[in-house]
C-alpha cells in the first residue's frame, strides 16, 4: 500500500500532463454532447437581437480582447455575427486595441466563408452586410467620439476604404443609428462602454466576457445598464445552442464542443486535487 | 546636492500634490495639469520599458559575441525583433499605418504572436494540473475552505453538474455573486486605502526606497 | 481625468469637424431660405457648463413629442458671426455642450428643427458667457474625504513625532520572516527574493522593495546569502542599492555580493523559466515572492513547493492570490502587503500612517452600518423619512 | 475538411506544437519558438509605443503644433538611460521621481472613486438575505484588514469570519482562473485539429 502511495507521490509530472491532454482532446474526437441549460442573461441577449432589431437594422460588436482570452470570446463573436446574418442585420465590428482589430478580421473572414458556403441563396458581402472600422487609438475617447460622429471618428474601414463609399454605412452616423451593441472583452474596458456609450448616449448594450470577469458585471445586469451577458465558453455554448434550437445553424459549433472538453478538463482537475490530498493525508498520518 | 535624494523627493512631492490639487480645480491653468502630466507620464514610463528592451537586446548580443551557451537562440531572438520592426516600417510606408488589416505587420501579429502567446498561456493549464496534484494541499482550515470552494465552482460551471442536480449551478452562481463579491469588495476597499496610504507616504517622503 | 481627456478630444473633433462643415452649413441656410420658416415652441436654455475650466457652454431644451422624427442643428451667434456647432442631431438627447468657446465672451444660440422640407426655428437664446470655476463642486465629497484622510495622517504623524507609540497587530507571514531566514541559515542554503514582473513605478513593486530591505538586513545578521533575480533593469539596480544599504546597516558591508542581485530577462515566461532553473540549482531554503505577479506566479510557487522551501508570498493581484494561498506557507493579502514594510520597520511616522488608514476604515464601517439601518427602516419598513435619508446618503457617496 | 494548405497555418501549427513539446522536456524546438516569440513581441511592443506615444504625443505636437513643452518629458525619459552609466545613475532618480510622484498623485483620486463605488454598491436597496450576507462579508473582511487592533475577543471572531469570506472568494476566483486557462488550451486544440489537420469541423 505504502509503496503505491509513495509511487503516486513522486509520479513524473509528465503523466499528469498526459492525463489532462487526453481528457481534453477526447471529447473532440468522440463528442459527448452534454445537454445545455440556457441561463437568463444569454436568452435575454438572444431574444433582444432576434425580436427587437428590425430587418436591415444595425448591430455593433467591439472586439476588445487579445489572444490570451480569445478561446472564450471568439466563439461569442462568431455566434453573434451568424445570428445577425440570419436576421439580415448589418454588423459593424471594431477594436479599441490593435490586437482586437486583427482578431475581428479573422472573425469576419471565418464567418463569411462559413455562411456563404451553407447559405448560397443569401450571400453576404464585406462592405454591404458586415464591416470593420479602422483602428484608432484613444479607447474611452473613441467611445465618446462615436456618440458625436462615427464617420469622423474612423474615416476608413480597416481595409483602407473610405467609410462614405460603403453601402453598409447608409444612415449610420451616431449611436442613435445603432440598434444594439455588444462589447466582447476580458478587461475593464467593458466599464468604459457602460459608462460612456450607455450612460451618456443611452446605447442599448450587452456584454460578452470571460468566465473570470463574469462576477464583476452581474451588478450592471441588475441595474439594467446592460440587458444580456455571455460569460465564458459556457455563455458562447448556450448562445450556439439557441441558434441550433431555432434552426439558424445546423451543426454543433466551436463553443458547444469546447464545453464537453471543458467539463472533462474540470473533472480531471478535481480528481487531481482530491487524489493529491488523499496522498498528503495518508503520508502525514504515517509520519505522525 | 544633485547626487542626493533631495531633488527627486521634491519632484515627487510637487508632482503628487499638484495633481491632487488640480483634481478639484477646473480653472486654468490647473484644469489641464492632469492631462499634461498624464501625457508626460506615458512618455517617460515608456522609456522604462525601452530601457528593459535595451537590456534584453544587449544581453543577447553579448551572448552572441562571447559565443556563450545556446548563443544561436539569441540570434533567433534578435532576428524576430528586427523582422517585425522592419516589416512594421515597410507597412507604415506602404499603407500609411502599420495597424491596417492586411499589412504585413498585422499578418505577423495574427499568425505568429497570437498562436504563440495563446499556446504559451495554455501551458499554464498543464502547470495548474501538476500543481493541483502536487502543491494544492488542505494544510489548514483556510486552504481547505479555498480548495472546497474551488472544486464546487469548477464543478458547477460545467453542464455535467446540471445532470446531477439543477441546484448545483444555481449554488455556484450564488457563491460568485454573494460571498465572492463580498470578499472582493472588502479586499478592494483595503487595497484602495492601502494605495492611498503608500501614495501619501511617498508624496510626503516618508517612503523612499524606490529612489535607491 | 476622463473629463479632461474628453474635453480635449471633443475640442479636436469639433475643430476638425466644424471646418469641414462650413460648406454644408451654407447649404442648410439656403434650405431655410427657400422653405417657409415655422416658429417652434421650443426654448433653448443656455448656461455656463459647471465645474469646468471656462471653455464650454451647455445648451438644454425640453424634449416633447412634437420633435419626433426631426433632426436638429444648433447655431452659435457671436457678433456678426453665425456658426453651426452641431448638425443633424437627434433632438431627443435634450442637451448639447459647445466646447469651442472662449471664456468671458458673450454668445447666443438658436436651433433649427428639420423634417423633410419643414424647418422650425427657435428664438435666439439669452446671451451667455463661459466662466472657469475655481472649485469642482461635483468633487466636494472627494474633497471632504481627502481632508479627512490628510487630517488623520497629519494628526497621527504629529502624535508619532511627539513620541506616542502605536500598536500594530501580528501579521503571521511577516513574523515568519525570522523563522524562514533562520531555517535557511541552519540548512546552509541561500534565500531567494523575487520582486515579480513590475517596474519600479508600480506600487506593489515599491512595497516589495521596502520589504526586501528588511529581509536583507535579517539575512545579513544571520550571514546568509540573499539572491534577487530581477525582471527589469531599473528594479535590479534599485534592489542592489537596497540590499547593499541593508548589509551596511547590519554592520556587514563586507558580506554584500553585488552579483547575487542579477538581471534575468524582461520576458514573462523567460523570467519564470530562468528563476525556475535557478531554484532547482541553488535549492534555496526560503523563497519570498513579494511584488507584482501575473500568470507566472503559479509556476514559481509550484517549483518552490517542490524543492521544499518555506515560501512567503504577497501581492495585490487578486487573481494570483489564490495560487499563492494554495501553494505557499504564508501569504500577504493586498493591503497586508502594503503595510508590511511598516510592520517590519516599525518606524513611528509610518506606524502613524497605518493608524490613519484604520481610522478611515472605521468611518467606512460606520457609514455602511448607518446606510444599512437607514435602508432597512426606509426601504424595508417603508418609512418615508428614512427612505429620504437613505437616498441622501447614497447620493452624497 | 482536409489538412490545411495555407503556409501561415502551417507556421502557426508548427510553432504551437514546438511550444507544447516543452511539456515532455526542454528541447531546441521549444527554445527556438520561445525566443522567436520574445523577439517578435518586444518588437511589437516597441512599435506600439512608437506609434501611440512617440509619434502621437511627441513628434506630432513638436512638428505640427510647435508645442516645445514636450521636449521636457523627452529629456526626462532619456535620463532614464543614465542607469547604464556608472557614476551618473543618480540622474535617473529624477524621471523615476516624476513618474512615481505622478502615479501616486493620480492613484489618490482614482482610489477615492473606487472606494465610493464599492461603499455605494454595498448599500442595499432591497432586502434579501444575499444583500445582508454581502454586508456582513464586506464589514468582516474590512475589519480583518485593521492593523492597529489586536485580533482578540470579538474582533478576533469577526476577523475569523472575514478570513472565511476571503478564502471562499479566493476559491471562487481560483476555479474561474482555471476555467480560463483550460479554455485557452481548448482553443489551441481546436486550431490544431480543425484549422490545421481538418479532423474536426
Amino acid at each position: 500500500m505504502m509503496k503505491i502511495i509513495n509511487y503516486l507521490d513522486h509520479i513524473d509530472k509528465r503523466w499528469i500532463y498526459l492525463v489532462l491532454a487526453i481528457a481534453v482532446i477526447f471529447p473532440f474526437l468522440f463528442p459527448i454532447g452534454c445537454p445545455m441549460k440556457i441561463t437568463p442573461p444569454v436568452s435575454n441577449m438572444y431574444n433582444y437581437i432576434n425580436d427587437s432589431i428590425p430587418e436591415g437594422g444595425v448591430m455593433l460588436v467591439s472586439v476588445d480582447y487579445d489572444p490570451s482570452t480569445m478561446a472564450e470570446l471568439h466563439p461569442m463573436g462568431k455566434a453573434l455575427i451568424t445570428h445577425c446574418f440570419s436576421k439580415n442585420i448589418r454588423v459593424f465590428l471594431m477594436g479599441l486595441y490593435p490586437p482586437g482589430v486583427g482578431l475581428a478580421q479573422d472573425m469576419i473572414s471565418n464567418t463569411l466563408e462559413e455562411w456563404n458556403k451553407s447559405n448560397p441563396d443569401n450571400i453576404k458581402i464585406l462592405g454591404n452586410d458586415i464591416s470593420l472600422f479602422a483602428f484608432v487609438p484613444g479607447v474611452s475617447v473613441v467611445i465618446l467620439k462615436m456618440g458625436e460622429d462615427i464617420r469622423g471618428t474612423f474615416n476608413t474601414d480597416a481595409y483602407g476604404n473610405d467609410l462614405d463609399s460603403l453601402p453598409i454605412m447608409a444612415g449610420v452616423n451616431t449611436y442613435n443609428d445603432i440598434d444594439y451593441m455588444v462589447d466582447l472583452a476580458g478587461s475593464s474596458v467593458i466599464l468604459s462602454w457602460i459608462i460612456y456609450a450607455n450612460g451618456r448616449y443611452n446605447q442599448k448594450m450587452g456584454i460578452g466576457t470571460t468566465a473570470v470577469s463574469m462576477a464583476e458585471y452581474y451588478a450592471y445586469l441588475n441595474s439594467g445598464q446592460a440587458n444580456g451577458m455571455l460569460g465564458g465558453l459556457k455563455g458562447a455554448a448556450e448562445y450556439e445552442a439557441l441558434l441550433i434550437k431555432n434552426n439558424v445553424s445546423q451543426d454543433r459549433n466551436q463553443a458547444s464542443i469546447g464545453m464537453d472538453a471543458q467539463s472533462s478538463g474540470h473533472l480531471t482537475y478535481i480528481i487531481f486535487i482530491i487524489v493529491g490530498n488523499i496522498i498528503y493525508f495518508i503520508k502525514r498520518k504515517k509520519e505522525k | 546636492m544633485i547626487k542626493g535624494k533631495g531633488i527627486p523627493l521634491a519632484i515627487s512631492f510637487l508632482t503628487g500634490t499638484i495633481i491632487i490639487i488640480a483634481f478639484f480645480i477646473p480653472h486654468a491653468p490647473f484644469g489641464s495639469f492632469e492631462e499634461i502630466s498624464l501625457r508626460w507620464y506615458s512618455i517617460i514610463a515608456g522609456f522604462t520599458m525601452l530601457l528593459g528592451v535595451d537590456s534584453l537586446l544587449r544581453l543577447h548580443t553579448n551572448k552572441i559575441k562571447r559565443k556563450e551557451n545556446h548563443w544561436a537562440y539569441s540570434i533567433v531572438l534578435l532576428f524576430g525583433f528586427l523582422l517585425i520592426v522592419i516589416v512594421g516600417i515597410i507597412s507604415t510606408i506602404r499603407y500609411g499605418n502599420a495597424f491596417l488589416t492586411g499589412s504585413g505587420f498585422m499578418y505577423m501579429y495574427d499568425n505568429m504572436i497570437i498562436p504563440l502567446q495563446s499556446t504559451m498561456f495554455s501551458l499554464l493549464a498543464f502547470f495548474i494540473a501538476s500543481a493541483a496534484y502536487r502543491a494544492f494541499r488542505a494544510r489548514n482550515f483556510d486552504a481547505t475552505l479555498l480548495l472546497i470552494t474551488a472544486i464546487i465552482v469548477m464543478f458547477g460551471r460545467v453542464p455535467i453538474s446540471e445532470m446531477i442536480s439543477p441546484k448545483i449551478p444555481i449554488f455556484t452562481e450564488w457563491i460568485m455573486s454573494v460571498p465572492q463579491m463580498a470578499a472582493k469588495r472588502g479586499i478592494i476597499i483595503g487595497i484602495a486605502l492601502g494605495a492611498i496610504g503608500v501614495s501619501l507616504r511617498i508624496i510626503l517622503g516618508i517612503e523612499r526606497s524606490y529612489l535607491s | 481625468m476622463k473629463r479632461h481627456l474628453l474635453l480635449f478630444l471633443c475640442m479636436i473633433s469639433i475643430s476638425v469637424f466644424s471646418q469641414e462643415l462650413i460648406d454644408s452649413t451654407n447649404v442648410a441656410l439656403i434650405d431655410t431660405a427657400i422653405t417657409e420658416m415655422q416658429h417652434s415652441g421650443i426654448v433653448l436654455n443656455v448656461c455656463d457648463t459647471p465645474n469646468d475650466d471656462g471653455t464650454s457652454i451647455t445648451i438644454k431644451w425640453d424634449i416633447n413629442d412634437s420633435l419626433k422624427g426631426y433632426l436638429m442643428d444648433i447655431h452659435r451667434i457671436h457678433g456678426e458671426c453665425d456658426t453651426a456647432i452641431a448638425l443633424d442631431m437627434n433632438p431627443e438627447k435634450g442637451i448639447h455642450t459647445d466646447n469651442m468657446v472662449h471664456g468671458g465672451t458673450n454668445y447666443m444660440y438658436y436651433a433649427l428643427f428639420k423634417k423633410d422640407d419643414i424647418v422650425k426655428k427657435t428664438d435666439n437664446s439669452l446671451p451667455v458667457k463661459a466662466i472657469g470655476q475655481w472649485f469642482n463642486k461635483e468633487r466636494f465629497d472627494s474633497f471632504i474625504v481627502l481632508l479627512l484622510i490628510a487630517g488623520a495622517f497629519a494628526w497621527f504623524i504629529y502624535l508619532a513625532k511627539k513620541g506616542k507609540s502605536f500598536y500594530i497587530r501580528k501579521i503571521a507571514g511577516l513574523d515568519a520572516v525570522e523563522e524562514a531566514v533562520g531555517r535557511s541559515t541552519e540548512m546552509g542554503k541561500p534565500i531567494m527574493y523575487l520582486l515579480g514582473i513590475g517596474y519600479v513605478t508600480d506600487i506593489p513593486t515599491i512595497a516589495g522593495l521596502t520589504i526586501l530591505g528588511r529581509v536583507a538586513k535579517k539575512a545579513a545578521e544571520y550571514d546568509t546569502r540573499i539572491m534577487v533575480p530581477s525582471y527589469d533593469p531599473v528594479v535590479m539596480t534599485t534592489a542592489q542599492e537596497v540590499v547593499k544599504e541593508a548589509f551596511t546597516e547590519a554592520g556587514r558591508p563586507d558580506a554584500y555580493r553585488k552579483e547575487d542581485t542579477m538581471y534575468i530577462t524582461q520576458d514573462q515566461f523567460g523570467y519564470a523559466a530562468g528563476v525556475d532553473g535557478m531554484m532547482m540549482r541553488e535549492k534555496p531554503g526560503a523563497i519570498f515572492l513579494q511584488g507584482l505577479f501575473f500568470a507566472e506566479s503559479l509556476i514559481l510557487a509550484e517549483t518552490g513547493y517542490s524543492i521544499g522551501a518555506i515560501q512567503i508570498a504577497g501581492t495585490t493581484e487578486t487573481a494570483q492570490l489564490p495560487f499563492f494561498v494554495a501553494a505557499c506557507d504564508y501569504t500577504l493579502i493586498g493591503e497586508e502587503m502594503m503595510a508590511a514594510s511598516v510592520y517590519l520597520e516599525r518606524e513611528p511616522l509610518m506606524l502613524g500612517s497605518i493608524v490613519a488608514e484604520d481610522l478611515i476604515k472605521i468611518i467606512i464601517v460606520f457609514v455602511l452600518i448607518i446606510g444599512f439601518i437607514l435602508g432597512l427602516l426606509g426601504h424595508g419598513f417603508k418609512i418615508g423619512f428614512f427612505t429620504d435619508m437613505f437616498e441622501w446618503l447614497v447620493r452624497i457617496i | 475538411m482536409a489538412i490545411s494548405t495555407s503556409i501561415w497555418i502551417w507556421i502557426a501549427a508548427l510553432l504551437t506544437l514546438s511550444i507544447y513539446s516543452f511539456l515532455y522536456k526542454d528541447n531546441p524546438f521549444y527554445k527556438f519558438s520561445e525566443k522567436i516569440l520574445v523577439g517578435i513581441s518586444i518588437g511589437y511592443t516597441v512599435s506600439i509605443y512608437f506609434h501611440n506615444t512617440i509619434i502621437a504625443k511627441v513628434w506630432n505636437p513638436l512638428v505640427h503644433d510647435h508645442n516645445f513643452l514636450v521636449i521636457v518629458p523627452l529629456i526626462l525619459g532619456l535620463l532614464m538611460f543614465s542607469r547604464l552609466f556608472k557614476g551618473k545613475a543618480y540622474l535617473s532618480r529624477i524621471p523615476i521621481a516624476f513618474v512615481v510622484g505622478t502615479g501616486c498623485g493620480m492613484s489618490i483620486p482614482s482610489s477615492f472613486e473606487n472606494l465610493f463605488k464599492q461603499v455605494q454598491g454595498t448599500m442595499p436597496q432591497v432586502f434579501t438575505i444575499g444583500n445582508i450576507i454581502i454586508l456582513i462579508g464586506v464589514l468582516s473582511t474590512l475589519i480583518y484588514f485593521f492593523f492597529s487592533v489586536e485580533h482578540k475577543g470579538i474582533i478576533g471572531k469577526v476577523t475569523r469570519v472575514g478570513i472565511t469570506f476571503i478564502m471562499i472568494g479566493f476559491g471562487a476566483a481560483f476555479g474561474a482562473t482555471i476555467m480560463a486557462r483550460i479554455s485557452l488550451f481548448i482553443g489551441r486544440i481546436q486550431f490544431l485539429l480543425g484549422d490545421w489537420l481538418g479532423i474536426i469541423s
Side-chain angles (χ1 to χ4, degrees):
Chain A
M1 175 69 187
M2 211 49 213
K3 231 173 159 180
I4 302 172
I5 295 287
N6 264 332
Y7 173 73
L8 283 177
D9 193 29
H10 294 109
I11 197 166
D12 193 330
K13 274 190 205 179
R14 280 174 285 194
W15 289 113
I16 299 171
Y17 297 158
L18 188 67
V19 171
L20 179 72
I22 292 174
V24 174
I25 296 173
F26 189 78
F28 281 100
L29 305 174
F30 308 96
I32 310 163
C34 287
M36 194 85 55
K37 212 181 113 202
I38 314 292
T39 51
V42 177
S43 56
N44 287 348
M45 188 187 286
Y46 182 90
N47 292 340
Y48 189 85
I49 294 173
N50 209 45
D51 306 331
S52 303
I53 306 182
E55 188 159 329
V58 180
M59 158 117 156
L60 173 73
V61 178
S62 188
V63 180
D64 299 329
Y65 51 87
D66 64 2
S68 68
T69 50
M70 115 185 230
E72 289 175 85
L73 301 171
H74 226 50
M76 294 181 191
K78 289 186 185 169
L80 286 170
I81 294 175
T82 313
H83 192 192
C84 289
F85 279 172
S86 75
K87 304 284 299 175
N88 293 323
I89 295 166
R90 289 179 280 169
V91 192
F92 286 98
L93 280 87
M94 60 175 286
L96 291 174
Y97 303 97
V101 180
L103 290 167
Q105 190 214 5
D106 173 71
M107 205 187 278
I108 291 181
S109 51
N110 250 314
T111 41
L112 269 181
E113 191 186 325
E114 267 169 40
W115 176 267
N116 288 340
K117 208 191 278 169
S118 50
N119 298 281
D121 47 334
N122 183 6
I123 295 289
K124 297 289 176 187
I125 301 165
L126 183 70
N128 287 8
D129 307 287
I130 189 165
S131 180
L132 168 63
F133 292 130
F135 167 72
V136 180
V139 191
S140 49
V141 173
V142 174
I143 303 177
L144 279 167
K145 238 179 126 182
M146 286 173 70
E148 303 286 333
D149 178 15
I150 290 178
R151 290 163 200 252
T153 311
F154 298 103
N155 294 318
T156 64
D157 71 359
Y159 307 89
N161 306 312
D162 200 338
L163 285 185
D164 290 328
S165 71
L166 298 177
I168 189 174
M169 284 298 291
V172 178
N173 293 306
T174 65
Y175 288 125
N176 292 325
D177 311 310
I178 294 176
D179 296 287
Y180 194 59
M181 98 71 46
V182 178
D183 184 31
L184 302 177
S187 66
S188 58
V189 67
I190 296 175
L191 283 184
S192 307
W193 278 106
I194 292 178
I195 294 169
Y196 297 122
N198 172 275
R200 224 169 267 203
Y201 295 103
N202 266 322
Q203 174 65 48
K204 260 268 178 225
M205 63 176 288
I207 300 170
T209 190
T210 55
V212 182
S213 316
M214 243 174 105
E216 282 172 47
Y217 299 110
Y218 273 109
Y220 299 96
L221 279 184
N222 291 341
S223 63
Q225 285 158 289
N227 72 351
M229 175 160 79
L230 309 179
L233 205 52
K234 184 154 185 277
E238 287 174 29
Y239 205 95
E240 284 175 0
L242 280 171
L243 289 179
I244 295 166
K245 205 170 113 195
N246 296 298
N247 289 323
V248 175
S249 69
Q250 276 74 42
D251 28 66
R252 277 152 51 75
N253 259 317
Q254 252 189 346
S256 314
I257 301 171
M259 221 40 227
D260 292 345
Q262 184 112 42
S263 299
S264 67
H266 279 199
L267 288 181
T268 317
Y269 282 121
I270 293 171
I271 292 167
F272 281 157
I273 293 179
I274 293 173
V275 173
N277 275 290
I278 290 175
I279 295 169
Y280 171 70
F281 278 110
I282 292 178
K283 286 201 82 170
R284 209 166 68 165
K285 222 174 172 182
K286 274 272 145 59
E287 274 166 27
K288 273 181 188 166
Chain B
M1 154 90 174
I2 188 153
K3 286 194 183 180
K5 291 185 183 175
I7 292 180
L9 282 176
I11 291 178
S12 291
F13 176 75
L14 280 177
T15 46
T17 18
I18 288 176
I19 288 173
I20 296 172
I21 293 172
F23 181 72
F24 299 102
I25 305 179
H27 201 286
F30 294 95
S32 51
F33 272 0
E34 196 178 9
E35 190 232 310
I36 290 175
S37 37
L38 191 68
R39 212 172 338 147
W40 286 22
Y41 178 91
S42 65
I43 295 171
I44 301 172
F47 275 89
T48 340
M49 189 266 298
L50 286 185
L51 189 63
V53 170
D54 177 81
S55 305
L56 185 63
L57 295 179
R58 212 181 282 240
L59 184 86
H60 286 280
T61 29
N62 282 340
K63 264 194 182 171
I64 297 171
K65 265 192 216 144
R66 295 199 208 112
K67 298 224 170 11
E68 279 176 32
N69 259 349
H70 304 308
W71 61 278
Y73 298 115
S74 301
I75 298 183
V76 175
L77 188 145
L78 291 183
F79 171 76
F81 176 77
L82 290 177
L83 185 70
I84 196 156
V85 170
I86 291 169
V87 170
I89 293 170
I90 294 173
S91 306
T92 314
I93 295 169
R94 267 191 64 188
Y95 299 89
N97 179 353
F99 296 99
L100 281 184
T101 322
S103 73
F105 186 74
M106 285 317 281
Y107 237 75
M108 278 188 78
Y109 182 84
D110 291 342
N111 292 293
M112 297 184 82
I113 298 188
I114 289 182
L116 277 171
Q117 226 169 51
S118 49
T119 310
M120 215 54 184
F121 275 94
S122 76
L123 278 186
L124 285 169
F126 291 93
F127 297 147
I128 291 176
S130 112
Y133 186 76
R134 307 192 315 161
F136 297 158
R137 296 287 185 249
R139 74 188 95 230
N140 51 37
F141 177 73
D142 294 345
T144 315
L145 200 59
L146 187 149
L147 289 177
I148 291 175
T149 322
I151 289 176
I152 295 174
V153 169
M154 272 194 272
F155 191 63
R157 282 288 182 90
V158 290
I160 293 185
S161 63
E162 273 161 37
M163 296 202 278
I164 295 167
S165 161
K167 294 238 168 76
I168 298 175
I170 297 171
F171 181 60
T172 312
E173 290 300 303
W174 183 84
I175 290 184
M176 293 306 279
S177 58
V178 176
Q180 199 263 149
M181 171 94 95
K184 207 167 182 178
R185 282 220 174 107
I187 294 174
I188 291 176
I189 293 177
I191 290 177
L193 281 174
I196 293 174
V198 175
S199 300
L200 279 177
R201 287 202 286 272
I202 288 174
I203 291 174
L204 296 176
I206 302 175
E207 174 90 75
R208 49 181 75 175
S209 60
Y210 65 100
L211 288 176
S212 282
Chain C
M1 179 205 102
K2 279 171 187 154
R3 270 174 96 80
H4 294 276
L5 225 68
L6 160 69
L7 207 84
F8 181 68
L9 261 112
C10 285
M11 274 161 64
I12 297 177
S13 61
I14 291 177
S15 66
V16 172
F17 188 44
S18 55
Q19 273 170 10
E20 274 175 21
L21 289 174
I22 289 172
D23 306 64
S24 47
T25 323
N26 288 340
V27 175
L29 284 176
I30 293 167
D31 270 359
T32 57
I34 296 168
T35 50
E36 194 188 339
M37 194 91 83
Q38 296 179 356
H39 194 267
S40 81
I42 304 289
V43 180
L44 291 184
N45 291 313
V46 289
C47 63
D48 168 43
T49 307
N51 304 320
D52 74 339
D53 59 349
T55 52
S56 82
I57 288 172
T58 305
I59 303 139
K60 289 183 188 165
W61 58 94
D62 293 324
I63 312 158
N64 59 36
D65 285 345
S66 68
L67 292 179
K68 269 244 160 75
Y70 280 84
L71 291 175
M72 175 185 192
D73 296 348
I74 301 178
H75 290 245
R76 179 208 307 135
I77 310 174
H78 172 226
E80 296 293 297
C81 183
D82 179 321
T83 327
I85 57 163
L87 282 177
D88 296 340
M89 272 194 342
N90 183 342
E92 279 171 30
K93 279 200 284 185
I95 183 164
H96 185 80
T97 318
D98 180 7
N99 293 321
M100 289 301 297
V101 297
H102 295 285
T105 317
N106 268 320
Y107 297 97
M108 287 190 288
Y109 292 86
Y110 68 89
L112 300 173
F113 296 96
K114 306 173 301 186
K115 183 184 187 179
D116 304 325
D117 27 321
I118 311 167
V119 177
K120 295 182 180 177
K121 183 179 177 297
T122 64
D123 284 334
N124 286 352
S125 71
L126 295 170
V128 62
K129 267 188 220 171
I131 303 161
Q133 275 77 33
W134 283 102
F135 188 77
N136 187 339
K137 286 188 192 121
E138 279 172 22
R139 290 178 178 167
F140 187 68
D141 47 357
S142 300
F143 185 67
I144 296 294
V145 177
L146 180 72
L147 281 187
L148 261 173
I149 293 183
F153 258 72
W155 173 244
F156 284 107
I157 288 174
Y158 166 77
L159 283 183
K161 273 204 170 150
K162 273 184 70 182
K164 186 169 165 48
S165 62
F166 296 107
Y167 172 82
I168 185 161
R169 76 150 156 100
K170 212 166 105 73
I171 299 179
L174 294 174
D175 287 343
V177 169
E178 184 109 32
E179 179 204 335
V181 177
R183 214 181 73 166
S184 284
T185 315
E186 270 169 34
M187 294 193 294
K189 288 177 174 177
I191 295 167
M192 190 177 269
Y193 196 102
L194 305 174
L195 286 156
I197 60 169
Y199 299 111
V200 78
T201 45
D202 295 316
I203 285 183
T205 311
I206 294 177
L209 280 167
T210 15
I211 304 172
L212 169 64
R214 300 297 102 199
V215 174
K217 198 172 165 191
K218 280 265 148 45
E221 283 163 6
Y222 280 85
D223 198 13
T224 299
R225 262 178 82 193
I226 178 160
M227 310 171 67
V228 191
S230 310
Y231 170 79
D232 174 74
V234 182
V235 173
M236 178 195 73
T237 46
T238 314
Q240 277 173 351
E241 292 299 316
V242 168
V243 175
K244 193 172 159 188
E245 250 171 60
F247 272 67
T248 317
E249 259 180 60
R252 302 292 317 273
D254 50 305
Y256 168 69
R257 294 166 49 153
K258 193 181 172 190
E259 65 278 11
D260 274 349
T261 302
M262 70 292 271
Y263 175 69
I264 302 288
T265 175
Q266 192 155 40
D267 137 41
Q268 192 180 15
F269 291 103
Y271 175 74
V275 173
D276 250 18
M278 202 182 278
M279 280 184 192
M280 299 306 281
R281 275 197 309 277
E282 306 277 347
K283 298 248 177 338
I287 299 172
F288 293 84
L289 304 118
Q290 303 285 346
L292 202 55
F293 289 88
F294 294 99
E296 72 289 346
S297 68
L298 172 93
I299 305 175
L300 299 172
E302 197 219 343
T303 315
Y305 178 86
S306 70
I307 58 165
I310 293 192
Q311 299 197 91
I312 302 179
T315 187
T316 51
E317 283 302 306
T318 39
Q320 306 307 327
L321 280 167
F323 294 114
F324 281 155
V325 173
C328 297
D329 300 272
Y330 299 96
T331 308
L332 303 179
I333 300 163
E335 202 191 353
E336 281 186 310
M337 188 221 173
M338 301 203 225
S341 61
V342 181
Y343 184 85
L344 293 169
E345 199 131 352
R346 311 247 167 188
E347 201 210 312
L349 290 187
M350 288 195 164
L351 279 174
S353 68
I354 291 286
V355 182
E357 278 174 37
D358 275 4
L359 187 72
I360 307 300
K361 266 173 246 162
I362 295 175
I363 295 175
I364 292 177
V365 167
F366 274 109
V367 169
L368 284 177
I369 293 175
I370 292 170
F372 176 75
I373 295 171
L374 286 180
L376 186 69
L377 293 173
H379 287 285
F381 294 103
K382 310 257 179 275
I383 304 172
F385 170 71
F386 292 109
T387 319
D388 295 344
M389 289 282 285
F390 180 76
E391 297 302 332
W392 175 78
L393 186 68
V394 170
R395 211 173 40 246
I396 58 165
I397 291 169
Chain D
M1 244 168 126
I3 193 159
S4 170
T5 47
S6 150
I7 177 103
W8 281 110
I9 296 225
W10 273 84
I11 291 178
L14 292 178
L15 288 174
T16 303
L17 284 180
S18 38
I19 297 260
Y20 280 135
S21 70
F22 176 75
L23 292 172
Y24 181 69
K25 76 187 234 216
D26 199 357
N27 63 68
F29 293 108
Y30 169 75
K31 281 214 180 73
F32 176 86
S33 315
E34 197 239 328
K35 287 292 176 297
I36 206 139
L37 169 63
V38 175
I40 299 180
S41 42
I42 57 173
Y44 181 76
T45 334
V46 170
S47 312
I48 294 262
Y49 176 68
F50 193 76
H51 181 262
N52 287 359
T53 311
I54 297 293
I55 295 286
K57 291 177 182 154
V58 180
W59 180 258
N60 286 344
L62 209 58
V63 175
H64 299 298
D65 312 335
H66 303 291
N67 176 359
F68 294 105
L69 208 61
V70 292
I71 292 177
V72 181
L74 196 63
I75 291 173
L76 284 177
L78 288 171
L79 278 184
M80 207 64 117
F81 279 87
S82 67
R83 277 272 152 172
L84 301 175
F85 302 100
K86 258 210 160 136
K88 293 274 176 280
Y90 62 88
L91 283 176
S92 68
R93 284 179 191 161
I94 295 174
I96 291 175
F98 178 85
V99 173
V100 173
T102 321
C104 289
M106 287 187 301
S107 93
I108 290 182
S110 67
S111 298
F112 280 165
E113 273 166 33
N114 230 334
L115 267 181
F116 287 133
K117 235 190 290 167
Q118 298 300 332
V119 172
Q120 198 175 15
T122 316
M123 302 243 176
Q125 297 279 356
V126 267
F127 281 84
T128 56
I129 301 207
N131 278 337
I132 294 168
I133 295 176
I134 288 183
L135 183 80
I136 294 171
V138 174
L139 289 180
S140 55
T141 313
L142 209 53
I143 289 170
Y144 170 77
F145 287 113
F146 269 25
F147 293 107
S148 50
V149 192
E150 205 171 342
H151 287 182
K152 275 204 318 212
I154 295 181
I155 300 277
K157 289 204 181 93
V158 175
T159 52
R160 205 49 249 169
V161 176
I163 200 86
T164 308
F165 269 97
I166 292 177
M167 288 304 149
I168 293 177
F170 282 171
F174 182 97
T177 310
I178 289 183
M179 200 160 173
R181 299 292 176 227
I182 202 147
S183 309
L184 268 184
F185 178 49
I186 290 170
R188 294 324 293 157
I189 297 289
Q190 273 166 341
F191 168 77
L192 287 177
L193 296 183
D195 295 308
W196 182 45
L197 293 178
I199 298 175
I200 55 166
S201 63

